[in-house]
Amino acid sequence: MEQFRVLLVDAAPGPLLGRELERLLGHGLAVTLNLRRVTDRAAVRAEWGDRVEFTDFDPFDEAALLAGAVRDGLGHHAVKSRAGVPLRAAFLAGAAGPGPAHRLRVIGRAGAGTDHVDLAAAARHGVAVTHTPGSNADAVAEFALAQLLTLTRDIRSYDAAAHRGEWRAPVAPPPELSELTLGIVGAGRIGLALAGRARALGMDVQALARRRDTARAPRPVSASVPAPDPAPAFTSAARPAPARASASASCPAPALASASASCPAPALASASASCPAPALASASASCPAPALASASAPCPAPAPASMSAPRPAPALASTQAPRPVLTLPELLATSDVVSLHLPLTPETRGLIGRAELALMRPGAILLNTARGGIVDEQALADALRDPAHPLAAAAVDTFEHEHAAFASPLHGLPNALLTPHIAGMTRGAMATAALRCADHMAALLAGRPDGIPVATA
């Protein structure tokens, strides 16, 4: 029986590397480990040298990546990445072409997004692209809440003042979370996980779902709660916004303070639903392989409540789905905090630009833990520099240009909270993604695709 060869282009960090290697080897795979991002290379060589092959190259250098994948003419049946290493048409043509003895058949991503892969080229070359949707839903939802609280309570400025020996009190008290409306763009696993947490904290939560998100939601069984229409494709802000139905709903959240006010930035909000991501039991286990079907099973989204239904009491909020909003302009105009939870696709690229930012409420906050290309960074920077603009602050964890190419017009803006794409990097989330990705690749290589998520163009 042929032994399938797998190249780990970027290793899992710390002790998780050992668990990842054991899982792959346990599936009978021959592993080549790229040492470029390994901290203690000598220790890894000493521990794994008799079971694993090693290489060392910069995975973000396309020529070096291709050379590593097809080295010695052998090639690899599968390539696994964690950090979103670009796998474009030229790489796929070389790794899956007739040159290497073992042509590339599977790409595994230890994470949810697959925008780093040219999916159309992968399909042309017969390469299956698998990923681990939902593996970091809890982690990203928690991080969005951290962004929200940091900005709404102006924690950074108070910390800086205290370190200077200054005792500062708020010029104007900020609103509490229960006074704010959170608008979630993208009601998938992460969006719903955020919504549940935000509702538990008393926030009013509304969400704009993609068609795929809506298709996963069950139909309500009660005749008194009508089923919502399928969410339409995202509506451009250039089109006239419909009447703001939610603006007249009971208990609307008050508008935040003006962006030019001296009070700290208003509280952030988050979006999610009553279906938080399931506990990642396998992440803390001693490495038993989870059943592949259950590992990739989506968490079903609950049916959204009727638009005319009264706002539930905070004590019950975490059990309710976010209120559905049908267009992006409506959500932007009726939310105090807008949190983005979408994949980067041709439809979502540049979704938030100058026109969309101008629709936001005075004093609003934008959170982006999704993908950098969804937001026009220059437009966002210009908005944050303008004291008359309705947008007061933004928290950005993902950028158009990342890693060694990291650059952004948001650099240096005091009302922009910037972090280096770390929202999903918790111990549990990374372990779940790494082990689940190993299982997915092994199943696809063995011709067992049932229950394995595969991304398509």
Side-chain angles (χ1 to χ4, degrees):
M1 181 178 177
E2 181 182 21
Q3 187 176 32
F4 296 111
R5 292 168 50 84
V6 177
L7 171 64
L8 273 62
V9 299
D10 46 4
L16 178 56
L17 173 59
R19 296 179 63 188
E20 181 178 45
L21 291 174
E22 286 288 4
R23 181 63 69 92
L24 290 165
L25 294 170
H27 283 299
L29 303 174
V31 179
T32 301
L33 172 62
N34 182 19
L35 293 169
R36 180 57 59 98
R37 303 185 72 177
V38 174
T39 302
D40 192 343
R41 300 181 186 183
V44 170
R45 283 184 179 276
E47 181 176 359
W48 297 96
D50 59 340
R51 303 175 66 189
V52 171
E53 294 183 18
F54 299 103
T55 185
D56 189 346
F57 61 86
D58 177 5
F60 289 92
D61 180 331
E62 187 173 42
L65 173 63
L66 179 58
V70 302
R71 88 178 200 184
D72 301 327
L74 291 177
H76 292 83
H77 298 95
V79 167
K80 173 260 177 182
S81 73
R82 176 178 59 85
V85 171
L87 303 176
R88 304 306 184 196
F91 167 79
L92 289 161
H102 304 295
R103 297 171 60 177
L104 182 66
R105 293 172 45 186
V106 174
I107 290 173
R109 169 72 191 279
T114 57
D115 51 279
H116 65 299
V117 181
D118 186 331
L119 295 177
R124 288 196 304 271
H125 292 287
V127 178
V129 180
T130 186
H131 56 140
T132 59
S135 58
N136 64 357
D138 286 344
V140 177
E142 290 177 2
F143 193 86
L145 282 180
Q147 292 176 320
L148 162 69
L149 290 167
T150 298
L151 290 181
T152 56
R153 302 303 295 269
D154 201 21
I155 292 173
R156 290 187 302 163
S157 70
Y158 289 114
D159 173 70
H163 278 287
R164 294 193 300 266
E166 302 173 10
W167 190 263
R168 272 183 48 195
V171 175
E176 295 182 2
L177 296 186
S178 60
E179 301 174 58
L180 303 173
T181 294
L182 170 65
I184 299 173
V185 184
R189 295 172 180 84
I190 297 174
L192 294 180
L194 176 58
R197 287 160 172 77
R199 278 199 178 274
L201 294 173
M203 296 191 77
D204 179 31
V205 182
Q206 58 185 7
L208 174 66
R210 296 184 301 150
R211 285 204 171 104
R212 290 182 191 175
D213 301 332
T214 305
R216 202 166 50 227
R219 307 293 288 183
V221 295
S222 172
S224 62
V225 182
D229 294 330
F234 291 113
T235 304
S236 167
R239 300 171 187 164
R244 299 174 191 172
S246 61
S248 61
S250 58
C251 303
L256 297 180
S258 167
S260 60
S262 58
C263 59
L268 300 180
S270 90
S272 105
S274 63
C275 182
L280 305 178
S282 64
S284 59
S286 58
C287 281
L292 289 177
S294 62
S296 60
C299 173
S306 168
M307 290 288 286
S308 60
R311 180 176 172 181
L316 302 176
S318 63
T319 66
Q320 304 297 316
R323 184 175 63 256
V325 176
L326 296 181
T327 68
L328 180 61
E330 180 185 356
L331 181 135
L332 295 174
T334 58
S335 300
D336 301 300
V337 180
V338 174
S339 192
L340 305 178
H341 300 286
L342 299 163
L344 181 60
T345 67
E347 181 187 26
T348 63
R349 179 172 290 280
L351 184 71
I352 305 297
R354 295 182 190 278
E356 289 75 21
L357 294 171
L359 291 176
M360 300 182 76
R361 278 182 169 178
I365 290 173
L366 178 68
L367 311 179
N368 186 12
T369 55
R371 286 293 185 268
I374 295 172
V375 179
D376 181 337
E377 287 181 36
Q378 187 59 61
L380 178 59
D382 292 343
L384 293 175
R385 287 191 182 94
D386 182 0
H389 197 280
L391 184 68
V396 180
D397 185 55
T398 57
F399 301 84
E400 181 74 25
H401 303 288
E402 298 186 346
H403 297 283
F406 177 48
S408 174
L410 297 168
H411 292 170
L413 295 179
N415 52 350
L417 174 62
L418 310 181
T419 49
H421 207 149
I422 57 171
M425 292 186 181
T426 62
R427 183 168 52 196
M430 295 181 74
T432 298
L435 302 182
R436 194 174 290 176
C437 183
D439 295 338
H440 290 174
M441 290 191 300
L444 291 174
L445 288 171
R448 295 182 281 105
D450 291 348
I452 306 302
V454 174
T456 57

